[in-house]
Amino acid sequence: MDFRPRHPQQLNIAAVQTMLVTENHRAKFKTPADQSLACPCSVQMKKGNHMAETTAKSPETGDTAPSFSLPQNGNEVFSSSSLAGKAYVLYFYPKDDTSGCTREAVDFTALKPEFDAIGVEIIGVSPDSTAKHDKFISKHELSLALLADEEKTLSSAYGVWVEKSMYGRKYMGIERSTFLIGQDGKVVQVWRKVKVAGHAQAVLDAARALNNK
């Protein structure tokens, strides 16, 4: 007796039904090993509201500092390769021309001659554009290099682009943080959730201690 289906389509329908049952079974009983295949360090951007999620781990003392190349004020490009063999301060702040960020930038500018004296460069990073940086620098007479991390690539690499909460509303933003990088390109000291008052002086003291080793 011939058991072949009278219509070829019957075979295709049966095959599709079998595949769907198999896939549903796999999804229902997905193992932790299967779940671990997703990359934990990816950055997911949502267009329109510029929200992002990241699980990137913040560099710790002794870690090699992430490299970067970003536009800076003056519409130039600043690359970490230009800092080879030099110590530098990389400080992340939320937004140009806000009270806390202005105070921090003014404090670093006031101490810049002392940082220069020990050969330590100061670099600020925020998601603002280079045009906003230029206005910010001009308005407050700042003498710092400010990088435009509009895609949050460097902020994510340093683990400072994080979920925040205000009045019950959750959103993504910069966690005010500072990293002191040594001449060997490794992280020397980290400040997270920075309080602006006295912070620039604390970073200068740490840079001086590094210079005296």
Side-chain angles (χ1 to χ4, degrees):
M1 183 178 293
D2 186 359
F3 290 99
R4 290 177 297 177
R6 295 181 180 178
H7 302 287
Q9 291 87 346
Q10 291 179 356
L11 181 61
N12 294 338
I13 292 173
V16 170
Q17 289 175 336
T18 301
M19 291 173 63
L20 288 174
V21 170
T22 302
E23 289 302 317
N24 288 337
H25 179 79
R26 288 176 179 172
K28 184 176 180 181
F29 298 100
K30 183 180 287 186
T31 65
D34 296 326
Q35 295 170 347
S36 67
L37 294 177
C39 176
C41 58
S42 62
V43 178
Q44 299 176 341
M45 301 298 297
K46 295 181 181 179
K47 295 182 179 179
N49 59 5
H50 302 290
M51 294 290 282
E53 293 180 2
T54 178
T55 54
K57 184 175 179 291
S58 176
E60 298 177 353
T61 301
D63 290 345
T64 298
S67 59
F68 61 87
S69 182
L70 287 173
Q72 71 166 92
N73 54 291
N75 206 28
E76 299 177 358
V77 174
F78 194 111
S79 175
S80 56
S81 61
S82 68
L83 298 167
K86 300 178 182 177
Y88 61 98
V89 171
L90 199 62
Y91 83 93
F92 294 84
Y93 65 96
K95 188 176 177 62
D96 285 345
D97 215 18
T98 54
S99 58
C101 298
T102 299
R103 182 72 266 162
E104 186 174 25
V106 168
D107 287 350
F108 272 121
T109 292
L111 294 175
K112 188 175 184 300
E114 297 184 56
F115 279 98
D116 289 343
I118 57 175
V120 177
E121 190 158 353
I122 309 167
I123 306 154
V125 186
S126 81
D128 297 292
S129 66
T130 56
K132 288 183 179 179
H133 282 338
D134 288 338
K135 292 179 181 178
F136 185 39
I137 288 172
S138 178
K139 180 178 179 179
H140 299 284
E141 299 181 344
L142 307 176
S143 56
L144 309 172
L146 299 181
L147 308 189
D149 189 21
E150 294 185 85
E151 298 300 321
K152 294 86 176 176
T153 52
L154 187 57
S155 303
S156 296
Y158 271 87
V160 301
W161 179 247
V162 300
E163 184 178 80
K164 295 182 173 184
S165 180
M166 180 180 290
Y167 305 118
R169 182 178 68 88
K170 292 184 178 181
Y171 62 98
M172 298 300 293
I174 296 291
E175 180 178 271
R176 195 184 304 278
S177 307
T178 301
F179 298 81
L180 175 61
I181 315 300
Q183 295 177 340
D184 58 358
K186 294 186 177 181
V187 177
V188 175
Q189 193 163 338
V190 179
W191 294 262
R192 298 297 299 260
K193 297 182 179 179
V194 166
K195 301 299 182 185
V196 172
H199 175 61
Q201 182 62 53
V203 176
L204 175 61
D205 292 343
R208 282 174 173 160
L210 172 66
N211 216 43
N212 291 331
K213 287 184 179 180

